[in-house]
Each structure stands twice: as structure tokens, then as C-alpha cells.
Short mmCIF file of all heavy atoms in Angstrom, two decimals:
data_model
loop_
_atom_site.label_atom_id
_atom_site.label_comp_id
_atom_site.label_asym_id
_atom_site.label_seq_id
_atom_site.Cartn_x
_atom_site.Cartn_y
_atom_site.Cartn_z
N ALA A 1 0.82 -1.20 -0.02
CA ALA A 1 0.01 0.03 -0.01
C ALA A 1 0.84 1.25 0.00
O ALA A 1 0.38 2.35 -0.33
CB ALA A 1 -0.97 0.01 1.23
N HIS A 2 2.14 1.13 0.36
CA HIS A 2 3.05 2.28 0.46
C HIS A 2 4.22 2.05 -0.45
O HIS A 2 5.35 2.52 -0.17
CB HIS A 2 3.43 2.47 1.90
CG HIS A 2 2.29 2.89 2.78
ND1 HIS A 2 1.44 1.95 3.40
CD2 HIS A 2 1.82 4.15 3.07
CE1 HIS A 2 0.55 2.61 4.05
NE2 HIS A 2 0.78 3.92 3.93
N ALA A 3 4.01 1.41 -1.63
CA ALA A 3 5.03 1.27 -2.65
C ALA A 3 6.19 0.37 -2.31
O ALA A 3 7.26 0.40 -2.88
CB ALA A 3 5.58 2.65 -3.08
N GLY A 4 5.93 -0.55 -1.30
CA GLY A 4 6.97 -1.64 -1.06
C GLY A 4 6.73 -2.67 -2.10
O GLY A 4 5.77 -2.71 -2.87
N LEU A 5 7.57 -3.73 -2.08
CA LEU A 5 7.49 -4.80 -2.99
C LEU A 5 7.39 -6.12 -2.32
O LEU A 5 8.23 -6.47 -1.38
CB LEU A 5 8.77 -4.81 -3.93
CG LEU A 5 8.84 -5.83 -4.99
CD1 LEU A 5 7.69 -5.61 -6.04
CD2 LEU A 5 10.18 -5.77 -5.73
N VAL A 6 6.40 -6.94 -2.68
CA VAL A 6 6.21 -8.27 -2.17
C VAL A 6 6.34 -9.21 -3.34
O VAL A 6 5.70 -9.03 -4.39
CB VAL A 6 4.82 -8.46 -1.47
CG1 VAL A 6 4.56 -9.87 -1.04
CG2 VAL A 6 4.78 -7.51 -0.27
N GLU A 7 7.05 -10.31 -3.16
CA GLU A 7 7.29 -11.24 -4.22
C GLU A 7 7.35 -12.71 -3.61
O GLU A 7 7.42 -12.90 -2.41
CB GLU A 7 8.61 -11.03 -4.90
CG GLU A 7 8.74 -9.65 -5.54
CD GLU A 7 10.13 -9.45 -6.12
OE1 GLU A 7 11.09 -9.33 -5.32
OE2 GLU A 7 10.26 -9.47 -7.32
N ARG A 8 7.22 -13.70 -4.52
CA ARG A 8 7.48 -15.04 -4.08
C ARG A 8 8.94 -15.08 -3.48
O ARG A 8 9.82 -14.64 -4.10
CB ARG A 8 7.40 -15.96 -5.27
CG ARG A 8 7.52 -17.49 -4.94
CD ARG A 8 6.11 -17.99 -4.44
NE ARG A 8 6.14 -19.42 -4.30
CZ ARG A 8 5.07 -20.11 -4.04
NH1 ARG A 8 3.87 -19.52 -3.92
NH2 ARG A 8 5.09 -21.42 -3.90
N SER A 9 9.06 -15.64 -2.29
CA SER A 9 10.34 -15.54 -1.66
C SER A 9 11.38 -16.36 -2.35
O SER A 9 11.25 -17.54 -2.56
CB SER A 9 10.21 -16.06 -0.22
OG SER A 9 11.45 -16.09 0.37
N PRO A 10 12.48 -15.65 -2.74
CA PRO A 10 13.65 -16.44 -3.35
C PRO A 10 14.27 -17.37 -2.36
O PRO A 10 15.00 -18.28 -2.81
CB PRO A 10 14.57 -15.32 -3.80
CG PRO A 10 14.22 -14.13 -2.90
CD PRO A 10 12.79 -14.21 -2.67
N ALA A 11 14.06 -17.15 -1.08
CA ALA A 11 14.66 -18.04 -0.08
C ALA A 11 13.84 -19.28 0.22
O ALA A 11 14.24 -20.10 0.97
CB ALA A 11 14.90 -17.27 1.24
N GLY A 12 12.67 -19.32 -0.44
CA GLY A 12 11.82 -20.54 -0.24
C GLY A 12 10.85 -20.29 0.93
O GLY A 12 10.93 -19.25 1.64
N PRO A 13 9.91 -21.26 1.12
CA PRO A 13 8.95 -21.07 2.22
C PRO A 13 9.60 -21.06 3.60
O PRO A 13 10.69 -21.61 3.83
CB PRO A 13 8.11 -22.33 2.10
CG PRO A 13 8.33 -22.82 0.70
CD PRO A 13 9.69 -22.48 0.40
N GLU A 14 8.94 -20.36 4.57
CA GLU A 14 9.41 -20.34 5.97
C GLU A 14 8.23 -20.85 6.81
O GLU A 14 7.22 -20.23 6.85
CB GLU A 14 9.78 -18.95 6.34
CG GLU A 14 10.48 -18.88 7.72
CD GLU A 14 10.95 -17.48 8.05
OE1 GLU A 14 10.42 -16.45 7.52
OE2 GLU A 14 11.94 -17.36 8.82
N ILE A 15 8.41 -22.01 7.40
CA ILE A 15 7.37 -22.73 8.06
C ILE A 15 7.76 -23.14 9.48
O ILE A 15 8.86 -23.66 9.62
CB ILE A 15 6.92 -23.98 7.30
CG1 ILE A 15 6.48 -23.64 5.89
CG2 ILE A 15 5.84 -24.75 8.03
CD1 ILE A 15 5.21 -22.88 5.75
N GLY A 16 6.91 -22.90 10.47
CA GLY A 16 7.13 -23.38 11.81
C GLY A 16 7.71 -22.40 12.77
O GLY A 16 7.75 -21.18 12.43
N PRO A 17 8.11 -22.85 13.95
CA PRO A 17 8.63 -21.89 14.92
C PRO A 17 10.00 -21.35 14.44
O PRO A 17 10.73 -22.06 13.73
CB PRO A 17 8.79 -22.71 16.15
CG PRO A 17 8.94 -24.15 15.63
CD PRO A 17 8.14 -24.23 14.42
N GLY A 18 10.30 -20.15 14.93
CA GLY A 18 11.60 -19.57 14.59
C GLY A 18 11.88 -18.37 15.53
O GLY A 18 11.12 -18.13 16.47
N VAL A 19 12.99 -17.70 15.23
CA VAL A 19 13.31 -16.53 15.97
C VAL A 19 13.63 -15.42 14.95
O VAL A 19 14.02 -15.67 13.88
CB VAL A 19 14.50 -16.76 16.94
CG1 VAL A 19 14.13 -17.72 18.04
CG2 VAL A 19 15.73 -17.19 16.16
N VAL A 20 13.49 -14.15 15.44
CA VAL A 20 13.97 -12.95 14.69
C VAL A 20 14.87 -12.16 15.53
O VAL A 20 14.83 -12.31 16.77
CB VAL A 20 12.77 -12.16 14.16
CG1 VAL A 20 11.86 -13.04 13.21
CG2 VAL A 20 11.88 -11.64 15.30
N GLY A 21 15.64 -11.32 14.91
CA GLY A 21 16.58 -10.51 15.72
C GLY A 21 16.16 -9.04 15.56
O GLY A 21 15.94 -8.51 14.47
N LYS A 22 16.08 -8.36 16.74
CA LYS A 22 15.78 -6.90 16.70
C LYS A 22 16.93 -6.13 16.12
O LYS A 22 18.08 -6.45 16.23
CB LYS A 22 15.55 -6.44 18.12
CG LYS A 22 14.21 -6.71 18.72
CD LYS A 22 14.12 -6.38 20.20
CE LYS A 22 14.46 -4.98 20.52
NZ LYS A 22 14.28 -4.66 21.95
N ARG A 23 16.57 -5.07 15.39
CA ARG A 23 17.53 -4.12 14.89
C ARG A 23 17.70 -2.96 15.85
O ARG A 23 16.88 -2.77 16.71
CB ARG A 23 17.08 -3.58 13.51
CG ARG A 23 16.93 -4.68 12.45
CD ARG A 23 18.27 -5.33 12.12
NE ARG A 23 19.25 -4.41 11.60
CZ ARG A 23 19.43 -4.21 10.27
NH1 ARG A 23 18.75 -4.87 9.41
NH2 ARG A 23 20.33 -3.32 9.84
N ASP A 24 18.74 -2.17 15.70
CA ASP A 24 19.06 -1.09 16.63
C ASP A 24 17.88 -0.07 16.73
O ASP A 24 17.59 0.44 17.81
CB ASP A 24 20.28 -0.33 16.22
CG ASP A 24 21.61 -1.11 16.39
OD1 ASP A 24 21.49 -2.20 17.14
OD2 ASP A 24 22.66 -0.74 15.88
N ALA A 25 17.15 0.15 15.61
CA ALA A 25 16.06 1.12 15.62
C ALA A 25 14.93 0.71 16.53
O ALA A 25 14.18 1.53 16.95
CB ALA A 25 15.55 1.29 14.17
N ALA A 26 14.85 -0.61 16.87
CA ALA A 26 13.81 -1.06 17.76
C ALA A 26 13.90 -0.49 19.14
O ALA A 26 12.92 -0.32 19.92
CB ALA A 26 13.85 -2.58 17.85
N ASP A 27 15.13 -0.08 19.55
CA ASP A 27 15.26 0.46 20.89
C ASP A 27 14.51 1.79 21.05
O ASP A 27 14.21 2.18 22.24
CB ASP A 27 16.74 0.70 21.17
CG ASP A 27 17.52 -0.60 21.35
OD1 ASP A 27 16.89 -1.63 21.59
OD2 ASP A 27 18.73 -0.58 21.15
N GLY A 28 14.18 2.51 20.03
CA GLY A 28 13.45 3.73 20.09
C GLY A 28 12.00 3.59 19.70
O GLY A 28 11.31 4.54 19.54
N ASP A 29 11.49 2.35 19.56
CA ASP A 29 10.16 2.11 19.14
C ASP A 29 9.24 1.88 20.33
O ASP A 29 9.60 1.17 21.25
CB ASP A 29 10.14 0.81 18.23
CG ASP A 29 8.77 0.57 17.66
OD1 ASP A 29 8.46 1.19 16.64
OD2 ASP A 29 8.03 -0.20 18.23
N PRO A 30 8.08 2.54 20.31
CA PRO A 30 7.20 2.41 21.51
C PRO A 30 6.71 0.98 21.80
O PRO A 30 6.32 0.69 22.94
CB PRO A 30 6.00 3.30 21.19
CG PRO A 30 6.07 3.53 19.72
CD PRO A 30 7.56 3.42 19.30
N LEU A 31 6.64 0.12 20.79
CA LEU A 31 6.21 -1.28 21.05
C LEU A 31 7.38 -2.26 21.15
O LEU A 31 7.47 -3.12 22.02
CB LEU A 31 5.25 -1.74 19.96
CG LEU A 31 4.01 -0.94 19.77
CD1 LEU A 31 3.06 -1.67 18.75
CD2 LEU A 31 3.25 -0.61 21.06
N PHE A 32 8.35 -2.10 20.21
CA PHE A 32 9.42 -3.12 20.12
C PHE A 32 10.59 -2.87 21.10
O PHE A 32 11.37 -3.81 21.33
CB PHE A 32 10.02 -3.07 18.68
CG PHE A 32 9.46 -4.09 17.79
CD1 PHE A 32 8.23 -3.81 17.10
CD2 PHE A 32 10.03 -5.37 17.64
CE1 PHE A 32 7.75 -4.74 16.26
CE2 PHE A 32 9.45 -6.26 16.79
CZ PHE A 32 8.34 -5.97 16.09
N ARG A 33 10.66 -1.73 21.77
CA ARG A 33 11.72 -1.47 22.72
C ARG A 33 11.72 -2.50 23.86
O ARG A 33 12.79 -2.75 24.46
CB ARG A 33 11.70 -0.11 23.29
CG ARG A 33 10.55 0.23 24.18
CD ARG A 33 10.60 1.63 24.71
NE ARG A 33 10.46 2.60 23.67
CZ ARG A 33 10.12 3.91 23.88
NH1 ARG A 33 9.92 4.35 25.13
NH2 ARG A 33 10.00 4.76 22.91
N TYR A 34 10.56 -3.09 24.19
CA TYR A 34 10.47 -4.02 25.30
C TYR A 34 10.46 -5.48 24.86
O TYR A 34 10.41 -6.32 25.70
CB TYR A 34 9.24 -3.70 26.15
CG TYR A 34 9.27 -2.32 26.78
CD1 TYR A 34 8.50 -1.37 26.29
CD2 TYR A 34 10.12 -2.09 27.82
CE1 TYR A 34 8.49 -0.08 26.84
CE2 TYR A 34 10.13 -0.80 28.36
CZ TYR A 34 9.39 0.23 27.86
OH TYR A 34 9.34 1.46 28.43
N VAL A 35 10.58 -5.68 23.57
CA VAL A 35 10.63 -7.08 23.01
C VAL A 35 12.17 -7.59 23.22
O VAL A 35 13.10 -6.81 23.03
CB VAL A 35 10.32 -7.03 21.53
CG1 VAL A 35 10.63 -8.37 20.88
CG2 VAL A 35 8.83 -6.72 21.32
N PRO A 36 12.31 -8.82 23.62
CA PRO A 36 13.66 -9.33 23.76
C PRO A 36 14.47 -9.22 22.50
O PRO A 36 13.93 -9.10 21.37
CB PRO A 36 13.46 -10.78 24.16
CG PRO A 36 12.06 -10.85 24.74
CD PRO A 36 11.30 -9.83 23.99
N LEU A 37 15.76 -9.36 22.61
CA LEU A 37 16.67 -9.22 21.49
C LEU A 37 16.39 -10.26 20.39
O LEU A 37 16.47 -9.93 19.22
CB LEU A 37 18.13 -9.36 21.93
CG LEU A 37 19.22 -9.06 20.83
CD1 LEU A 37 19.09 -7.69 20.32
CD2 LEU A 37 20.60 -9.35 21.43
N ILE A 38 16.05 -11.53 20.79
CA ILE A 38 15.82 -12.55 19.79
C ILE A 38 14.53 -13.29 20.25
O ILE A 38 14.55 -14.35 20.83
CB ILE A 38 17.00 -13.57 19.71
CG1 ILE A 38 18.31 -12.77 19.40
CG2 ILE A 38 16.72 -14.57 18.64
CD1 ILE A 38 19.51 -13.68 19.38
N PRO A 39 13.33 -12.75 19.91
CA PRO A 39 12.10 -13.35 20.35
C PRO A 39 11.72 -14.54 19.49
O PRO A 39 11.98 -14.60 18.29
CB PRO A 39 11.12 -12.19 20.17
CG PRO A 39 11.67 -11.34 19.04
CD PRO A 39 13.17 -11.47 19.17
N ASP A 40 10.90 -15.40 20.09
CA ASP A 40 10.28 -16.55 19.41
C ASP A 40 9.07 -16.05 18.63
O ASP A 40 8.32 -15.18 19.13
CB ASP A 40 9.88 -17.60 20.43
CG ASP A 40 11.03 -18.30 20.99
OD1 ASP A 40 11.60 -19.17 20.30
OD2 ASP A 40 11.35 -18.12 22.18
N VAL A 41 8.87 -16.62 17.45
CA VAL A 41 7.71 -16.33 16.60
C VAL A 41 7.29 -17.54 15.86
O VAL A 41 7.97 -18.59 15.90
CB VAL A 41 8.02 -15.19 15.62
CG1 VAL A 41 8.49 -13.90 16.28
CG2 VAL A 41 9.17 -15.65 14.63
N PHE A 42 6.14 -17.47 15.22
CA PHE A 42 5.71 -18.52 14.30
C PHE A 42 5.84 -18.00 12.87
O PHE A 42 5.47 -16.84 12.58
CB PHE A 42 4.24 -18.97 14.58
CG PHE A 42 4.05 -19.47 15.95
CD1 PHE A 42 3.21 -18.82 16.83
CD2 PHE A 42 4.69 -20.61 16.35
CE1 PHE A 42 2.97 -19.30 18.12
CE2 PHE A 42 4.48 -21.14 17.64
CZ PHE A 42 3.62 -20.42 18.56
N GLN A 43 6.25 -18.83 11.91
CA GLN A 43 6.41 -18.46 10.54
C GLN A 43 5.50 -19.38 9.65
O GLN A 43 5.45 -20.56 9.95
CB GLN A 43 7.84 -18.57 10.06
CG GLN A 43 8.85 -17.69 10.81
CD GLN A 43 8.75 -16.24 10.43
OE1 GLN A 43 7.90 -15.79 9.69
NE2 GLN A 43 9.71 -15.41 10.92
N TRP A 44 4.92 -18.78 8.68
CA TRP A 44 4.13 -19.58 7.76
C TRP A 44 3.88 -18.75 6.50
O TRP A 44 2.78 -18.16 6.25
CB TRP A 44 2.79 -20.00 8.33
CG TRP A 44 2.32 -21.34 7.86
CD1 TRP A 44 1.70 -21.62 6.65
CD2 TRP A 44 2.45 -22.59 8.51
NE1 TRP A 44 1.48 -22.95 6.54
CE2 TRP A 44 1.90 -23.60 7.66
CE3 TRP A 44 2.97 -23.02 9.77
CZ2 TRP A 44 1.82 -24.92 8.04
CZ3 TRP A 44 2.88 -24.33 10.15
CH2 TRP A 44 2.36 -25.31 9.23
N HIS A 45 4.85 -18.67 5.59
CA HIS A 45 4.69 -17.81 4.40
C HIS A 45 5.58 -18.29 3.29
O HIS A 45 6.63 -18.90 3.49
CB HIS A 45 5.01 -16.38 4.66
CG HIS A 45 6.36 -16.08 5.14
ND1 HIS A 45 7.33 -15.58 4.29
CD2 HIS A 45 7.00 -16.28 6.36
CE1 HIS A 45 8.46 -15.46 4.97
NE2 HIS A 45 8.28 -15.86 6.23
N VAL A 46 5.09 -18.13 2.06
CA VAL A 46 5.94 -18.44 0.86
C VAL A 46 6.32 -17.13 0.10
O VAL A 46 7.18 -17.19 -0.70
CB VAL A 46 5.12 -19.37 -0.10
CG1 VAL A 46 4.86 -20.68 0.54
CG2 VAL A 46 3.87 -18.72 -0.59
N ASP A 47 5.61 -16.02 0.41
CA ASP A 47 5.99 -14.69 -0.13
C ASP A 47 6.76 -13.94 0.92
O ASP A 47 6.70 -14.24 2.16
CB ASP A 47 4.76 -13.96 -0.54
CG ASP A 47 4.00 -14.61 -1.68
OD1 ASP A 47 4.64 -15.29 -2.50
OD2 ASP A 47 2.79 -14.48 -1.71
N GLU A 48 7.41 -12.86 0.48
CA GLU A 48 8.12 -12.04 1.44
C GLU A 48 8.11 -10.62 0.94
O GLU A 48 8.01 -10.32 -0.24
CB GLU A 48 9.52 -12.51 1.80
CG GLU A 48 10.54 -12.39 0.64
CD GLU A 48 11.97 -12.58 1.11
OE1 GLU A 48 12.37 -11.90 1.99
OE2 GLU A 48 12.59 -13.48 0.47
#
């Protein structure tokens, strides 16, 4: 909706439990600043 690009993921599907890593900018974010550095998440997508 804001001119970003979504495509079939060249890295292939991402399925199941995983972790993501916070970037430095998250420290100044009102929601993400309190999220742990490497939080657990669920993944289920073929596009990115």
C-alpha cells in the first residue's frame, strides 16, 4: 500500500517456529523497545 515490493520468496517457504533479531532502531520504538533481542515467533509464508 506504500510502494513496497512483495514477491514469491527467493529463499523459499518459511514454516514453523523460529526466531527473529531486533535491529538497533527497535530500541526507540514504543512497542518493540520491550521485546527481547531474539524473540520466538511462528512463521508460515511463501511470499516475502
Side-chain angles (χ1 to χ4, degrees):
H2 294 86
L5 183 62
V6 175
E7 300 176 289
R8 187 81 171 190
S9 175
E14 188 174 28
I15 301 291
V19 295
V20 298
K22 281 173 55 177
R23 300 296 298 264
D24 289 346
D27 291 339
D29 185 84
L31 302 188
F32 265 85
R33 68 178 63 165
Y34 298 106
V35 170
L37 185 61
I38 306 177
D40 288 286
V41 299
F42 301 117
Q43 301 283 8
W44 211 282
H45 61 102
V46 297
D47 296 331
E48 70 168 304

